[in-house]
Structures are given as C-alpha cells and as structure tokens.
Amino acid sequence: YKCYNYLVKFTEREKQILKNFHGHLGPYVLLGYKIGQLAVKRLKAKHKKLKTEYIGPAKTPYTCLVDGLQITTGCTYGKRNIKIYNKSGEPKIIFKTDKKKLIIKLRRELNSTKEIYNSTIYQLINQGN
C-alpha cells in the first residue's frame, strides 16, 4: 500500500476528534489512529466485522494506541470487539476478520509527536499476517 509511504499527516478535524476523545495529541494516540486506518483498508472491514487485540504493556503511553484504534476501527469496549492483553515487551496489535488477520508491531519507541509527523507509517511499524 504505497499510500502509506508518504509522511504521516492529519487533518485538523482528525486532530480535533483525537484530542476530544483522548484529551491530548500524544504520539501513541496518533499512531494508533493511523494503524487503525491501515488495518481497515488492508482488511476491508470495520466495526462489527473487525476484532482488535492490543498485546503489550498495559500502561501509558502504550495503551494510548488503543484510543486511536477505537476511533478508526470502530472497535470499542462496549461492543466487546477490542481487547487489551498485558504483556511485557514491544506492543503488538492484531486485527482479525472472519477470513483475514493482520499483525502490526512497533519498530521503535516513540518520544514525541514530531517523530510521527516526520515519518512514514512503514518507518514506524512492521506488519505481517
């Protein structure tokens, strides 16, 4: 998906939605949002047809990924189609439909929103099936 080889960008509307939901625009909520977009495009699924699992440290800032994921995937705790599993190490996100699966791992730890804005999505994540 060549569309993810350009610098990560956000519209003002996207930034406002994320800020309203999460409270601020930290690097992990921003990345979670973009990872969710990638998963929805790759798997061609959203909301009830998609299930999301976050596997990693159950502490901030890592779990901030989950807030971004909820917004773009439509997976929520209320619908019970997003889950968090506390495990040490680098976070991993698994997206599943009835027929497909996508696994996303972070390439490195993030320290600032500038790292998001000055990178492409593929510089920030590894993906597999």
Side-chain angles (χ1 to χ4, degrees), residues 39-108:
V40 167
K41 281 186 178 189
R42 288 285 312 271
L43 300 176
K44 296 180 176 121
K46 194 170 182 181
H47 301 288
K48 291 183 181 179
K49 295 183 179 185
L50 184 63
K51 293 183 180 171
T52 302
E53 297 176 358
Y54 164 89
I55 302 166
K59 62 181 183 176
T60 58
Y62 303 107
T63 52
C64 298
L65 287 163
V66 176
D67 280 354
L69 294 169
Q70 288 181 94
I71 292 170
T72 50
T73 64
C75 295
T76 66
Y77 292 111
K79 289 187 281 189
R80 301 177 47 91
N81 58 354
I82 192 166
K83 297 187 186 225
I84 293 178
Y85 297 99
N86 186 13
K87 186 175 179 186
S88 62
E90 285 297 312
K92 172 171 68 171
I93 300 112
I94 300 172
F95 300 95
K96 297 177 188 175
T97 66
D98 290 339
K99 298 178 183 179
K100 297 179 185 176
K101 181 165 133 178
L102 176 65
I103 300 170
I104 303 284
K105 296 178 184 176
L106 301 189
R107 287 189 189 264
R108 58 187 165 85

Side-chain angles (χ1 to χ4, degrees), residues 1 38-39 42 102-105 107 122 125-129:
Y1 288 90
L38 175 64
R42 288 285 312 271
L102 176 65
I103 300 170
I104 303 284
K105 296 178 184 176
R107 287 189 189 264
Y122 287 124
I125 65 169
N126 288 315
Q127 62 176 353
N129 285 341

Side-chain angles (χ1 to χ4, degrees), residues 8-26:
V8 175
K9 297 188 190 271
F10 295 84
T11 65
E12 289 305 314
R13 183 173 183 274
E14 288 173 318
K15 288 180 191 176
Q16 194 58 52
I17 289 168
L18 285 164
K19 189 174 181 180
N20 288 345
F21 185 80
H22 186 67
H24 65 98
L25 294 177

